[in-house]
Amino acid sequence: MKRIGPGLAVLAVVTAAVGCGTPDVGGAGPGFPAPVEVAVDRLEGWYRVAGTVGTPPVPAAVTFWVEQGRFGTYGGCPGGTAETTVRDGRLFVDFVESSAIGCESGAPTTVWDEFFLPFLTDDPAVTLTATSMTLRAVGPPERQVVLQRTGTPAGAGEGRLSGTPAGTYEVRSVSAGDLDPDVVAAIGGPLTPALWLADGRVGMLGGCPGGAGDGVVGGGRLLAGPLTVPAIGCQPGFGTVWDEWFRAFVEDEPAVQLEGDVLTLRTAGSPGATVLLERVGD
């Protein structure tokens, strides 16, 4: 067993299969096709768990992404990200970067990641079709996870990113109907909020109380949160209203576009919002 990120306990595998519909990608047991060589870039995309054998129940929000030789898991707790390669039909992961901060022991999201992250570092066999990827443990006990492709990473013209675009970015403009217009008008004047990204972390500056948490860019989206808020006193004003809104925006997995030093974050929910930021430092 390879190392897992700090603070992550390894849970004994639960062998009850969940009742998810499994796409026809070979299935479990003797009918599973022999792994074939695939380049890691062919795995690129967003996936949801569509079927399992020998795993804990799957939280509905769990997603998995692969982009430019890096994968990430999101929706479990603590989640994780790592460099990955494919050789001889197997997925190789040396070390999953993760933290157990804020994870509730015994919660379904925690139990899932306590299974899934060690499963990934056990070098599972990988089989790929046009619409799905199947990961299967090479040794006993039998464990299999079928991932259904739900999207592909953003193309180069759409600001494709991998990992974390490190730097500090000041907010230049906001388009959001649910944000107080007086707060929007204050940006660039009395209020100069910023976002920083570095080493798998994301944080808020310029408002009050600020906040920080784990965060990466994968599949063309910013995956961050929950952000930890420092226990400091804030006077009511533009900064506190902004921080409450922006924290929720950042945690809503906005799409990312980077052109030069201009970073655009955009959510597609209702109401959608767009935040334009400019890089001002490392």
Side-chain angles (χ1 to χ4, degrees):
M1 178 71 68
K2 298 186 179 74
R3 294 185 302 155
I4 308 297
L8 183 65
V10 177
L11 180 75
V13 174
V14 179
T15 59
V18 300
C20 297
T22 303
D24 183 13
V25 293
F32 188 88
V36 294
E37 190 67 24
V38 294
V40 69
D41 60 356
R42 290 189 58 204
L43 305 180
E44 293 198 350
W46 275 90
Y47 299 84
R48 65 174 180 83
V49 180
T52 64
V53 173
T55 79
V58 184
V62 166
T63 56
F64 182 83
W65 57 263
V66 180
E67 185 175 359
Q68 294 188 342
R70 195 169 185 86
F71 83 83
T73 68
Y74 195 66
C77 193
T81 181
E83 299 290 338
T84 186
T85 57
V86 177
R87 298 191 306 274
D88 301 322
R90 296 173 68 180
L91 187 74
F92 289 91
V93 176
D94 287 330
F95 179 70
V96 179
E97 301 167 11
S98 64
S99 169
I101 295 174
C103 295
E104 180 183 353
S105 178
T109 52
T110 305
V111 171
W112 170 256
D113 270 13
E114 286 175 340
F115 156 77
F116 192 51
L117 300 187
F119 171 76
L120 290 171
T121 62
D122 270 345
D123 308 334
V126 56
T127 304
L128 186 68
T129 74
T131 59
S132 59
M133 170 172 38
T134 299
L135 302 176
R136 175 174 170 264
V138 174
E142 186 177 20
R143 291 155 291 152
Q144 178 174 289
V145 177
V146 179
L147 299 157
Q148 188 77 28
R149 190 189 296 269
T150 60
T152 56
E158 299 171 319
R160 172 174 170 165
L161 296 169
S162 179
T164 300
T168 299
Y169 299 82
E170 285 187 353
V171 176
R172 295 297 184 232
S173 66
V174 179
S175 174
D178 62 334
L179 182 60
D180 188 331
D182 289 339
V183 175
V184 176
I187 292 172
L191 177 64
T192 309
L195 183 76
W196 59 262
L197 304 111
D199 300 324
R201 299 281 290 175
V202 59
M204 298 162 48
L205 300 170
C208 189
D214 293 332
V216 296
V217 173
R221 298 163 72 187
L222 177 62
L223 309 177
L227 302 186
T228 301
V229 178
I232 60 176
C234 294
Q235 296 294 323
F238 294 145
T240 54
V241 175
W242 166 259
D243 265 23
E244 182 178 354
W245 180 88
F246 192 49
R247 186 165 51 252
F249 172 84
V250 169
E251 293 177 351
D252 199 26
E253 304 178 14
V256 175
Q257 181 175 346
L258 184 62
E259 296 181 359
D261 288 333
V262 178
L263 177 68
T264 303
L265 303 178
R266 181 179 294 107
T267 57
S270 180
T274 300
V275 177
L276 191 70
L277 307 98
E278 183 178 9
R279 182 170 178 161
V280 294
D282 296 327

